[in-house]
C-alpha cells in the first residue's frame, strides 16, 4: 500500500532512527516533496541522502507553519527536547499529530513543551528498524483521534512491527524488553563466540558460528508461528547435548532469573530517566 498524506510531514532529527524512518517512508511510496526534514547539523551522508531523494532540508519554521503539516515526528535525542520543541510552537495546530520516539520523554513532559492542545503519540522503537525489522510500541494522549492513531501506526510500520499500550507506564517495560533487547541478543552472540573459543575453536570460526546461530534462530522465530518453547523442545533430544546445556541454562540461577533481574533494572532506569 502506498503511503500518502494530505498535508506535509515534518521529521525533526535525521540521525539513525530518523533516517531509517525516512528511508522506509520513501520506499513505501511517500512523495519526497511531502517531507520536510529539520536538523541543524545532519551528517554529510544524511544530507546527501535527503537532498538526493528530493526531500526538503531545514526549511524556515514560518514556511513550515504556512504549509500546515499533518504530522511532526520528533527523532532527536531526549536531552535536546527542551531546546528543540519550543521552536516548533508554530506547528502546534488543532489537527496536527506529534509523534515522539525520544526515550524517557513522557507524554506529560511533551505536553508541557508543546502545549495543552497538542495531540501526541509517544513511541518506543528499537535498532532493528535500521534493517526494516524493528519493533515499535506506542501510546497516545487523549486528544489523538482513532484516525491519527491509525496514521501513526502506518508511519511507524515503515520500519517493522507496531503495537500499542493504553497505559504509558508500560512503555518502561517495553523499553526493557524490546528497546534495550537487541543489546542483550548481541551480548549473547558475544558470549557464545567466547564460549566457542574456550572450547578450542579459532576466534573467527567461533564468531561466525555465533552470528549464524543467533540470526538463524531469530529468523525462525520471525517466520514460524510456533511458540519459542516449542522451537526449543524441537531442538532438544532427551539426554542429548542440547539437554545437557539447557540443564545449566534453565537451572537455579540460570538465564530466566538473570534476565528478570536485568530487565527490571532496565525498566527502573527508564522510569528514572522519565522523571
Amino acid at each position: 500500500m502506498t503511503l500518502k498524506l494530505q498535508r506535509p510531514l515534518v521529521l525533526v532529527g535525521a540521525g539513525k532512527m530518523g533516517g531509517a524512518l525516512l528511508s522506509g517512508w520513501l520506499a513505501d511510496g511517500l512523495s519526497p516533496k511531502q517531507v520536510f526534514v529539520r536538523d541543524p547539523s545532519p551528517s554529510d551522508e544524511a544530507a546527501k541522502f535527503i537532498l538526493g531523494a528530493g526531500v526538503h532540508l531545514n526549511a524556515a519554521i514560518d514556511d513550515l507553519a504556512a504549509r500546515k503539516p499533518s504530522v511532526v515526528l520528533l527523532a532527536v535525542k531526549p536531552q535536546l527536547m527542551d531546546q528543540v520543541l519550543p521552536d516548533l510552537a508554530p506547528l502546534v495546530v488543532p489537527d496536527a499529530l506529534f509523534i515522539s520516539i525520544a526515550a524517557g520523554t513522557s507524554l506529560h513532559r511533551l505536553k508541557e513543551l508543546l502545549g495543552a492542545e497538542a495531540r501526541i503519540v509517544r513511541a518506543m522503537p528499537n535498532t532493528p528498524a535500521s534493517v526494516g525489522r524493528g519493533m515499535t510500541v506506542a501510546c497516545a494522549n487523549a486528544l489523538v483521534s482513532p484516525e491519527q492513531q491509525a496514521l501513526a501506526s502506518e508511519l511507524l510500520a515503515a520500519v517493522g512491527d507496531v503495537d500499542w499500550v493504553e497505559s504509558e507506564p508500560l512503555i518502561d517495560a517495553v523499553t526493557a524488553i524490546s528497546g534495550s533487547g537487541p543489546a542483550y541478543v548481541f551480548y549473547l552472540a558475544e558470549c557464545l563466540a567466547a564460549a566457542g573459543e574456550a572450547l578450542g575453536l579459532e576466534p573467527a570460526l567461533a564468531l561466525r558460528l555465533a552470528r549464524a546461530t543467533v540470526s538463524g534462530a531469530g529468523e525462525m522465530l520471525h517466520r514460524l508461528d510456533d511458540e519459542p518453547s516449542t522451537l526449543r523442545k524441537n531442538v532438544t533430544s532427551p539426554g542429548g547435548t542440547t539437554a545437557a546445556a539447557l540443564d545449566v541454562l534453565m537451572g537455579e540461577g540460570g538465564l530466566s532469573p538473570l534476565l528478570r533481574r536485568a530487565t527490571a533494572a532496565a525498566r527502573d532506569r527508564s522510569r528514572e530517566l522519565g522523571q
Side-chain angles (χ1 to χ4, degrees):
M1 182 173 64
T2 301
L3 184 57
K4 293 183 179 180
L5 294 175
Q6 296 300 316
R7 305 203 314 271
L9 180 154
V10 177
L11 173 64
V12 184
K16 290 183 178 179
M17 195 61 69
L21 284 163
L22 176 58
S23 295
W25 297 333
L26 297 178
D28 283 350
L30 183 62
S31 169
K33 296 184 181 300
Q34 285 284 81
V35 184
F36 291 76
V37 174
R38 285 184 61 82
D39 191 319
S41 54
S43 67
D44 291 343
E45 181 181 1
K48 183 178 179 180
F49 171 72
I50 292 166
L51 296 174
V55 172
H56 307 275
L57 179 60
N58 289 330
I61 195 69
D62 290 342
D63 181 40
L64 292 178
R67 295 174 183 271
K68 298 181 179 179
S70 58
V71 181
V72 180
L73 194 139
L74 308 169
V76 298
K77 296 182 183 300
Q79 59 267 32
L80 296 178
M81 294 295 263
D82 287 10
Q83 172 187 337
V84 170
L85 263 61
D87 293 339
L88 302 179
L91 306 184
V92 182
V93 294
D95 60 347
L97 175 65
F98 284 77
I99 304 173
S100 169
I101 62 171
T105 307
S106 68
L107 288 172
H108 176 73
R109 181 58 182 152
L110 291 165
K111 186 175 75 170
E112 286 183 334
L113 293 167
L114 291 170
E117 300 303 314
R119 302 183 181 209
I120 308 169
V121 166
R122 177 185 172 188
M124 182 71 237
N126 63 6
T127 55
S130 64
V131 293
R133 289 284 299 279
M135 181 68 230
T136 301
V137 178
C139 61
N141 71 3
L143 298 178
V144 175
S145 69
E147 293 77 15
Q148 287 177 318
Q149 185 170 331
L151 174 58
S153 286
E154 190 175 6
L155 291 169
L156 295 169
V159 292
D161 294 335
V162 180
D163 213 328
W164 291 80
V165 293
E166 293 186 7
S167 174
E168 185 180 9
L170 289 176
I171 292 292
D172 296 315
V174 168
T175 300
I177 301 301
S178 64
S180 300
Y184 316 154
V185 177
F186 299 147
Y187 185 55
L188 171 63
E190 287 182 66
C191 291
L192 198 56
E197 289 186 53
L199 293 175
L201 295 174
E202 289 293 326
L205 177 58
L207 179 57
R208 182 182 177 191
L209 293 176
R211 291 176 68 111
T213 300
V214 171
S215 62
E219 190 64 18
M220 290 179 70
L221 282 169
H222 176 64
R223 292 190 186 188
L224 304 179
D225 292 331
D226 304 73
E227 293 292 325
S229 60
T230 300
L231 295 173
R232 169 178 55 80
K233 292 172 184 176
N234 289 344
V235 183
T236 309
S237 300
T241 58
T242 307
L246 289 174
D247 284 344
V248 177
L249 290 173
M250 299 175 71
E252 185 176 353
L255 185 59
S256 180
L258 183 62
L259 274 176
R260 287 176 183 268
R261 294 199 303 274
T263 53
R267 177 206 59 198
D268 294 344
R269 182 57 178 153
S270 180
R271 288 174 177 172
E272 292 171 2
L273 292 172
Q275 292 176 355

